Amino acid sequence: MNAAALKACISDGGLDEKLALLYGRDQLSAQKARYTEAIDAFTALYGDREDLSLFSAPGRTEIAGNHTDHNHGRVVAASVDMDVIAVVSPTDNGVIRIQSKGYPQDTVSLSDLEIKPEEENKAIALIRGTAARFAQKGHRTGGFDAYTTSNVLKGSGLSSSAAFEVLVGTILSHLYNDAAVSPVEIAKYAQYAENVYFGKPSGLMDQMASSVGSVITIDFADTENPVIEKIDFDMAAMGCALCIVDVGGNHADLTHEYAAIPAEMKAVAGFFGRDVLRGVSYRDLMANAPLLRAQFGDRAFLRAIHFVKENERVGAIVHALKDKNYPRFLRLVTESGDSSYRYLQNVYAASDPKEQSMAVALEMAEDLLNGRGAYRVHGGGFGGTTQNFVPLDLLDQFRTGIESVFGAGSCHVLSIRPLGGTRVF
């Protein structure tokens, strides 16, 4: 379908059901305009094509399991209605060209999928790395031209990089593999791209939540075969809104702070002859506390304690959700955030102690919620966003209070999205 026909399909309601599923009916008008604008941008850049497709991959919110995935722990996460979308046309030249709104165009030749050190921490590394992993695993690859635009807040803990990687993988799966590459496989290939090509030692949760979609719990005891279970989570029944507060920080330039967390946890695990902390108990840690503190330092010791207790807490949160015991769920979410603040220590960066905007947002949430709802650090930490479950009768007051400090539009009310990476048309 060419640009004019695709835009007519959108205008006439041909994609309304799919768009409503992804964003809600109250967002139909805005999303139809967004996709139409993206089609126009693609056409202006590449010319009209007869075989246009539309793709979407969502950001994610971590509900529990802060920094547990990289040590084979358990998490609860969900895809959200902020996403990166793409207008795509396949090509036969063996080249991937992606123009992301506001950025220079990235071009990757599929004849050269070797790691490029100069591409580290750049989007082009995610493209090359994802394509390389597809090829390594025996899947077909091929060229395409794409224009993308994203409303996933960069450096926000909503995982814009994971959404972009999953988008590339979803495109390759649909265009060249008859959509046969599973969401779990796409997530693994995306993580490989981020770890090996992009140079960020992330766990698998971000990519898995974006690729699989909905509310899920994941057990990474066996990272090659993670156990994934979807959970029925009724936000309306809980009587809360999910609010992500953008505190104005950005952890994109704090990779070293992020990387120190799995490194310190794994160093402690090594004391017990393990590669990761999964399988080490709180009793193990405390029985060896003097040696662990002396050898690895107090921060590493405390981060190990966080992992052990957070991993147990995830199980309790899953049970609370299944039982629809939302008061217990909210208490446990706040406990998770408290553990991240005190033991994991990822609310602000030790290298930049003057910047503590996330700590300010958490203090404000505690005051504004006054014992109700829940609040916590969101995602990797060190800036970005906080996650808040706000009772509906407090929503206006909460948003007003937060935006009086962090600015208009800093409080984002999100919805849980039922689909992960997907072909929209």
Side-chain angles (χ1 to χ4, degrees), residues 231-234 237-240 315-333 373-374:
I231 301 175
D232 180 22
F233 185 14
D234 190 344
M238 187 169 63
C240 288
I317 284 176
V318 169
H319 284 301
L321 286 175
K322 289 181 175 180
D323 293 342
K324 302 192 184 307
N325 186 343
Y326 295 126
R328 176 166 169 73
F329 163 76
L330 292 170
R331 287 195 302 272
L332 289 167
V333 167

Side-chain angles (χ1 to χ4, degrees), residues 285-325:
L285 294 174
M286 297 312 297
N288 294 278
L291 290 173
L292 292 171
R293 293 179 62 210
Q295 187 169 342
F296 304 108
D298 285 339
R299 188 174 72 171
F301 178 64
L302 290 169
R303 284 174 165 173
I305 288 175
H306 165 80
F307 172 87
V308 171
K309 290 194 170 184
E310 182 76 348
N311 204 44
E312 293 175 355
R313 189 178 294 112
V314 169
I317 284 176
V318 169
H319 284 301
L321 286 175
K322 289 181 175 180
D323 293 342
K324 302 192 184 307
N325 186 343

Side-chain angles (χ1 to χ4, degrees), residues 4-130:
L6 186 51
K7 289 197 296 182
C9 177
I10 293 172
S11 176
D12 294 342
L15 298 184
D16 280 8
E17 291 307 311
K18 186 64 174 283
L19 295 177
L21 182 65
L22 295 178
Y23 308 104
R25 292 201 173 274
D26 61 333
Q27 293 296 315
L28 266 180
S29 178
Q31 292 299 330
K32 290 167 77 167
R34 181 183 178 217
Y35 277 86
T36 298
E37 179 184 316
I39 294 167
D40 287 338
F42 177 97
T43 304
L45 181 64
Y46 300 114
D48 200 3
R49 303 282 177 85
E50 294 297 324
D51 49 7
L52 295 181
S53 298
L54 304 176
F55 291 86
S56 162
R60 70 97 180 100
T61 183
E62 168 202 282
I63 296 172
N66 197 211
H67 279 282
T68 56
D69 56 336
H70 46 59
N71 269 254
H72 296 197
R74 301 175 65 188
V75 302
V76 178
S79 54
V80 297
D81 57 351
M82 283 185 172
D83 63 347
V84 52
I85 65 172
V87 183
V88 181
S89 175
T91 60
D92 58 7
N93 59 6
V95 174
I96 296 174
R97 294 191 296 177
I98 298 182
Q99 174 69 62
S100 297
K101 183 178 181 180
Y103 294 90
Q105 185 179 88
D106 289 315
T107 301
V108 171
S109 172
L110 296 173
S111 64
D112 180 13
L113 295 178
E114 298 298 316
I115 298 170
K116 309 290 183 185
E118 67 273 15
E119 293 178 357
E120 189 170 294
N121 289 313
K122 296 178 181 177
I124 191 171
L126 303 177
I127 303 167
R128 195 183 304 275
T130 302

Side-chain angles (χ1 to χ4, degrees), residues 161-329:
S161 61
F164 184 78
E165 299 151 11
V166 167
L167 182 75
V168 173
T170 303
I171 292 169
L172 288 173
S173 176
H174 281 266
L175 293 187
Y176 293 106
N177 296 276
D178 298 320
V181 185
S182 73
V184 171
E185 289 177 289
I186 290 172
K188 291 178 183 178
Y189 304 163
Q191 184 208 19
Y192 174 87
E194 185 153 327
N195 289 176
V196 178
Y197 281 70
F198 188 79
K200 182 177 179 180
S202 70
L204 187 55
M205 177 185 67
D206 297 351
Q207 293 83 2
M208 198 69 76
S210 177
S211 189
V212 174
S214 189
V215 178
I216 57 175
T217 181
I218 315 170
D219 190 331
F220 292 109
D222 178 358
T223 56
E224 288 301 309
N225 300 286
V227 178
I228 303 165
E229 181 184 0
K230 290 196 174 185
I231 301 175
D232 180 22
F233 185 14
D234 190 344
M235 287 281 289
M238 187 169 63
C240 288
L242 172 61
C243 296
I244 300 297
V245 174
D246 182 0
V247 302
N250 188 324
H251 60 200
D253 60 346
L254 292 172
T255 297
H256 62 290
E257 295 275 6
Y258 180 94
I261 294 176
E264 290 179 10
M265 287 183 178
K266 290 175 181 179
V268 174
F271 177 89
F272 298 97
R274 297 177 177 271
D275 293 328
V276 295
L277 279 173
R278 182 69 177 262
V280 176
S281 70
Y282 181 76
R283 181 175 296 178
D284 293 333
L285 294 174
M286 297 312 297
N288 294 278
L291 290 173
L292 292 171
R293 293 179 62 210
Q295 187 169 342
F296 304 108
D298 285 339
R299 188 174 72 171
F301 178 64
L302 290 169
R303 284 174 165 173
I305 288 175
H306 165 80
F307 172 87
V308 171
K309 290 194 170 184
E310 182 76 348
N311 204 44
E312 293 175 355
R313 189 178 294 112
V314 169
I317 284 176
V318 169
H319 284 301
L321 286 175
K322 289 181 175 180
D323 293 342
K324 302 192 184 307
N325 186 343
Y326 295 126
R328 176 166 169 73
F329 163 76

